[in-house]
């Protein structure tokens, strides 16, 4: 007889293949991507507040360059890729290097244009990550297409995670059923052609994008007026009061407290809603501080 926990999990609604709990856990992985793993290679069972993959049997490696950083968690054929978001002035410059580059120059479909800064940050680590994934697969006598991936990131990291998802599907023929993506505060990454490939490959059904109910300005990077589009609608969350826009801990707190009926895709944020948020909501929060 199956347990009630099994039944509960099977009846929980999913978005992008994630239950809310699974998405929250991957959000903690995204948060961990901001840490230096050299200082976090031991498990401290007494500190349950901090996520540490070492405590749960994952092998962890980090690939860093001056413009990018990614944690690769591996356990058997299961891989988690967690890309670090913006936290330096160099990262900020990457965010605003938004002129497009064509897919033919980036190993993505030729009609796809990609945010130039995000692609450069991704490429800077992928030259090391790809051979590492190949080595993991070969050690098990399988191909990269046989691995299962959970991919995540916040901010700039969310953009790179999105690129990783499309590249694994197109360059390594990883089936959509073996890919999941959860992003928090993601900018726009691809043009409409890139989004069509996303849908054609079935990646839209394996993607969860979390954004603020108000306005997270980073989600508007990759300007729509030059053709960038989000790959899927967002699940929108209300950040706790007195929480700065966009920060990942605020996202995770809001997501953890999201009412179950609100775990659904929301309509896109319009100009009037953005104007209301910045003209009314943000000032009211600032003046309410004590």
């Amino acid at each position: 007889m199956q347990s009630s926990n099994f039944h509960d999990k099977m009846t929980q609604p999913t978005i992008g293949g994630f239950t809310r709990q699974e998405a929250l856990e991957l959000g903690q992985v995204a948060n961990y991507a901001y840490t230096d793993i050299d200082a976090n290679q031991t498990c401290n069972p007494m500190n349950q507040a901090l996520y540490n993959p070492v405590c749960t049997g994952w092998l962890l490696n980090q690939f860093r360059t001056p413009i990018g950083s990614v944690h690769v968690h591996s356990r058997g054929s299961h891989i988690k890729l967690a890309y670090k978001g913006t936290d330096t002035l160099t990262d900020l410059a990457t965010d605003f290097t938004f002129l497009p580059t064509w897919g033919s120059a980036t190993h993505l479909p030729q009609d796809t244009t990609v945010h130039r800064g995000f692609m450069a940050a991704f490429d800077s680590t992928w030259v090391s990550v790809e051979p590492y994934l190949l080595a993991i697969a070969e050690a098990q006598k399988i191909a990269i297409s046989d691995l299962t991936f959970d991919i995540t990131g916040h901010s700039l990291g969310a953009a790179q995670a999105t690129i990783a998802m499309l590249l694994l599907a197109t360059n390594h023929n990883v089936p959509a059923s073996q890919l999941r993506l959860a992003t928090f505060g993601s900018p726009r990454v691809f043009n409409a052609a890139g989004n069509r490939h996303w849908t054609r490959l079935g990646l839209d059904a394996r993607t969860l994008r979390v954004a603020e109910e108000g306005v997270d300005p980073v989600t508007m990077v990759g300007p729509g007026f030059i053709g960038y589009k989000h790959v899927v609608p967002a699940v929108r969350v209300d950040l706790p009061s007195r929480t700065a826009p966009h920060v990942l801990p605020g996202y995770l707190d809001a997501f953890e407290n999201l009412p179950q009926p609100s775990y659904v895709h929301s309509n896109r944020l319009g100009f009037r809603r953005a104007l209301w948020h910045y003209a009314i909501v943000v000032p009211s929060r600032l003046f309410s501080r004590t």
Side-chain angles (χ1 to χ4, degrees):
M1 184 175 179
Q2 293 175 330
S3 69
S4 60
N5 287 340
F6 177 85
H7 177 75
D8 289 346
K9 184 173 182 179
M10 293 300 292
T11 57
Q12 287 177 14
T14 63
I15 295 180
F18 295 99
T19 65
R20 289 176 59 211
Q21 183 59 36
E22 289 172 331
L24 182 61
E25 290 170 359
L26 201 56
Q28 293 169 343
V29 175
N31 197 38
Y32 193 76
Y34 282 96
T35 68
D36 183 350
I37 67 168
D38 293 337
N40 292 277
Q41 287 285 19
T42 58
C43 178
N44 180 4
M46 301 302 294
N47 189 354
Q48 298 299 321
L50 295 176
Y51 167 82
N52 190 329
V54 178
C55 294
T56 52
W58 290 84
L59 177 64
L60 178 59
N61 209 335
Q62 181 177 20
F63 298 91
R64 286 178 294 186
T65 72
I67 60 173
S69 176
V70 56
H71 286 187
V72 182
H73 309 236
S74 61
R75 190 168 63 186
S77 62
H78 191 181
I79 307 294
K80 294 179 183 178
L81 300 178
Y83 286 86
K84 182 186 74 68
T86 301
D87 67 349
T88 68
L89 290 177
T90 299
D91 294 338
L92 194 62
T94 297
D95 291 337
F96 286 95
T97 308
F98 59 76
L99 291 177
T101 185
W102 285 96
S104 56
T106 64
H107 319 297
L108 292 173
Q110 292 190 3
D111 57 351
T112 299
T113 58
V114 190
H115 183 292
R116 188 181 301 270
F118 300 157
M119 195 71 222
F122 173 81
D123 276 341
S124 74
T125 59
W126 188 249
V127 294
S128 300
V129 171
E130 187 176 37
Y132 182 67
L133 296 176
L134 181 60
I136 290 173
E138 288 181 342
Q140 301 174 71
K141 296 182 169 48
I142 58 176
I144 289 179
S145 59
D146 298 311
L147 300 173
T148 298
F149 292 87
D150 285 332
I151 312 171
T152 190
H154 163 249
S155 189
L156 168 61
Q160 294 175 76
T162 303
I163 294 171
M165 179 91 147
L166 183 57
L167 190 144
L168 284 166
T170 55
N171 278 25
H172 289 285
N173 300 313
V174 181
S177 60
Q178 293 165 215
L179 293 165
R180 292 193 303 179
L181 172 70
T183 64
F184 300 84
S186 179
R188 304 180 185 103
V189 183
F190 305 123
N191 65 347
N195 284 18
R196 285 194 294 272
H197 288 295
W198 195 270
T199 301
R200 174 181 60 81
L201 292 163
L203 302 182
D204 54 333
R206 305 292 290 173
T207 303
L208 169 65
R209 182 172 72 89
V210 181
E212 291 184 27
E213 181 64 42
V215 178
D216 177 347
V218 175
T219 63
M220 294 182 282
V221 172
F225 66 83
I226 61 173
Y228 292 110
K229 296 180 179 297
H230 285 295
V231 291
V232 294
V235 171
R236 296 204 174 270
V237 295
D238 277 312
L239 266 63
S241 61
R242 305 180 185 178
T243 299
H246 187 61
V247 296
L248 184 53
Y251 263 117
L252 296 181
D253 285 347
F255 192 80
E256 185 172 15
N257 294 304
L258 184 71
Q260 187 65 58
S262 298
Y263 188 48
V264 293
H265 284 146
S266 173
N267 292 327
R268 64 189 294 267
L269 184 65
F271 172 78
R272 286 179 294 177
R273 189 171 166 199
L275 182 63
W276 169 264
H277 183 78
Y278 278 117
I280 305 298
V281 178
V282 170
S284 67
R285 285 185 179 179
L286 292 175
F287 286 115
S288 68
R289 297 186 180 205
T290 58

